[in-house]
Amino acid sequence: MGRSQLEKQKTHEKIVETASRRLREEGLEGVGVADLMKEAGLTVGGFYKHFASRDDLVAEAIQSAFDSWGRKLEADGIDPAKMTAADVADRYLSAYHRDNPGEGCPFAALTSDISRGDDKARGIATERLRLNFEALASKASGADAERRRKAVIAFAMMAGGVGLARISSDEALSAEILETVRDFVAAIDK
Amino acid sequence: MGRSQLEKQKTHEKIVETASRRLREEGLEGVGVADLMKEAGLTVGGFYKHFASRDDLVAEAIQSAFDSWGRKLEADGIDPAKMTAADVADRYLSAYHRDNPGEGCPFAALTSDISRGDDKARGIATERLRLNFEALASKASGADAERRRKAVIAFAMMAGGVGLARISSDEALSAEILETVRDFVAAIDK
DNA sequence: ATTATCTATAGATCTATAGATAATGC
DNA sequence: ATTATCTATAGATCTATAGATAATGC
């Protein structure tokens, strides 16, 4: 059935949103096109009117996944600029974030996937990495170089911490990692 | 052609070793059985005399990947117990480690893959995570709880740092991450 | 007339198995 | 006699395309 331009755009967004979640949950190669289309309430045949290839969807979905962190803050009525390092740490190192990779940070959910990815995916991620460092540096104390150092340390520790916490099948160990890193980051600009 | 027990064992090890490297390079789902067998100098038909399933090989290969860090230290004539935190950081956060995931730490190369993995893979990794924390804690200064905290912080930061450094397609940014984390970990027990 | 979506399928790829072959080891 | 490996292939799955259908929009 033919659809209006508006409906097509909504369909497009629905596919990207579905992919953005499922790819974070199951990895960049973990879900097939037919499965994604079905979950978006469609069939596989329509896919290539929206994307030239599966890789094109993946690139769009990664972009969307990076945007989702900010969109969620907005939905929760939080101004990112007003968050302290402690606020960021509380959110990033929460059990909720650990247990819901599909809604969370792609640097934690897709670390190894992106490093193996094509130039497009890595390019997008590199740009976001730079922005994350700058945003965190603006929250840290000290001279410019010191703030930059703190930002790099804090983000490496947060992304690594959530990654390791997700690996651990021992809940106590996993919680210890989250808590230890959270306390450290929260204290970083004190 | 039939082979002796000894030859079969060597063949088995060759397959596991090949898989251990390729899976770290391309992810737990990135390489097929036929491809791995070919690289080990064999054909696909013999595979199932060695492993009940592909998943069984993956579990063995992960185990072997975790062992490889220690085996390499041994080959280099280094006693892990005598390494300081600075020594560990120099090695872990080197450009060589970043650029050769196939020979490196599975926590950095397979972070997201293992967290999505089955109970077997996550169980093996959880055990190793505990050992890594203990080994790092033994190198840190302070009271027990403080040493433990430092170990968790240092390892989350190292695994996360190498992960982010591998993502960055900007060499300067990538090198900055490695260097910043290395300096921090090296200073942690001073 | 155009096109977004559908059903159906071609072609590639991947895991696992079947049966043949040749060397081991009781 | 047993079995490690080989060639060949069955069966499943995945990306991408072909052609039909029905609604949009000039």
Side-chain angles (χ1 to χ4, degrees):
Chain A
M1 314 137 228
R3 295 293 152 84
S4 71
Q5 295 288 341
L6 183 71
E7 274 179 295
K8 185 186 180 186
Q9 194 186 322
K10 284 205 155 189
T11 298
H12 189 97
E13 280 164 19
K14 175 78 180 164
I15 300 168
V16 172
E17 202 180 323
T18 302
S20 162
R21 181 173 53 75
R22 291 290 301 277
L23 294 178
R24 275 176 282 180
E25 286 169 356
E26 289 154 65
L28 297 185
E29 289 170 16
V31 204
V33 168
D35 193 14
L36 284 170
M37 289 298 275
K38 191 176 175 185
E39 190 164 338
L42 299 158
T43 58
V44 65
F47 183 82
Y48 293 89
K49 294 277 173 173
H50 287 278
F51 308 95
S53 67
R54 186 183 181 284
D55 277 352
D56 268 29
L57 167 64
V58 170
E60 265 197 64
I62 290 175
Q63 189 81 253
S64 164
F66 278 115
D67 288 334
S68 79
W69 188 265
R71 277 202 308 266
K72 260 187 125 184
L73 288 178
E74 198 174 3
D76 290 354
I78 297 170
D79 178 357
K82 287 184 180 154
M83 292 177 90
T84 63
D87 294 334
V88 174
D90 278 348
R91 208 176 165 93
Y92 202 99
L93 297 154
S94 64
Y96 186 88
H97 186 206
R98 177 195 62 193
D99 297 336
N100 295 277
E103 306 170 32
C105 174
F107 283 114
L110 298 171
T111 324
S112 14
D113 294 80
I114 293 175
S115 70
R116 284 177 222 122
D118 56 20
D119 289 345
K120 209 169 185 176
R122 291 181 69 210
I124 294 168
T126 303
E127 192 186 342
R128 294 310 180 111
L129 190 54
R130 213 185 297 277
L131 292 174
N132 281 357
F133 286 155
E134 285 165 13
L136 281 170
S138 75
K139 301 179 193 308
S141 60
D144 277 4
E146 178 62 9
R147 289 158 66 173
R148 174 78 181 182
R149 269 197 296 277
K150 285 180 177 177
V152 172
I153 292 297
F155 194 62
M157 191 158 39
M158 289 198 296
V162 170
L164 297 180
R166 282 182 183 148
I167 284 176
S168 175
S169 48
D170 177 339
E171 164 61 26
L173 183 65
S174 181
E176 181 194 1
I177 298 167
L178 291 182
E179 195 185 327
T180 305
V181 175
R182 192 190 55 206
D183 289 350
F184 190 95
V185 175
I188 214 168
D189 57 355
K190 292 243 172 68
Chain B
M1 315 137 225
R3 296 293 153 82
S4 70
Q5 293 290 339
L6 183 70
E7 273 179 294
K8 185 184 179 186
Q9 194 186 321
K10 283 205 156 190
T11 299
H12 189 98
E13 280 165 19
K14 176 77 180 164
I15 300 168
V16 172
E17 203 180 323
T18 303
S20 163
R21 180 172 54 73
R22 291 289 301 277
L23 293 178
R24 274 177 283 181
E25 285 169 358
E26 288 154 67
L28 298 185
E29 290 169 15
V31 206
V33 167
D35 194 14
L36 285 170
M37 289 298 275
K38 191 176 176 185
E39 190 165 337
L42 300 157
T43 59
V44 64
F47 182 81
Y48 294 89
K49 295 277 173 176
H50 287 278
F51 308 96
S53 68
R54 185 183 182 283
D55 277 351
D56 268 30
L57 167 65
V58 170
E60 266 197 63
I62 289 175
Q63 189 80 255
S64 164
F66 277 115
D67 288 335
S68 79
W69 189 264
R71 278 203 307 268
K72 258 188 125 183
L73 288 178
E74 198 175 4
D76 290 356
I78 296 171
D79 177 357
K82 288 183 179 153
M83 291 177 90
T84 64
D87 294 334
V88 174
D90 279 348
R91 207 176 165 94
Y92 201 100
L93 297 154
S94 64
Y96 186 88
H97 186 206
R98 177 194 63 193
D99 298 335
N100 294 277
E103 306 171 31
C105 174
F107 283 114
L110 298 171
T111 323
S112 15
D113 293 78
I114 293 176
S115 69
R116 282 177 224 121
D118 57 20
D119 289 346
K120 208 169 184 174
R122 292 182 66 210
I124 294 168
T126 303
E127 192 187 342
R128 295 310 181 110
L129 190 53
R130 213 185 296 279
L131 291 174
N132 280 357
F133 286 156
E134 284 165 12
L136 281 170
S138 74
K139 301 180 192 308
S141 59
D144 278 4
E146 178 63 9
R147 289 159 67 175
R148 174 76 180 183
R149 269 197 295 277
K150 285 179 176 175
V152 171
I153 293 297
F155 194 62
M157 191 157 40
M158 289 198 296
V162 170
L164 296 179
R166 282 183 182 148
I167 284 176
S168 175
S169 49
D170 176 340
E171 165 61 25
L173 183 63
S174 181
E176 181 195 1
I177 297 167
L178 292 182
E179 195 184 328
T180 305
V181 175
R182 193 191 56 207
D183 289 349
F184 190 96
V185 175
I188 214 169
D189 58 352
K190 292 243 172 66

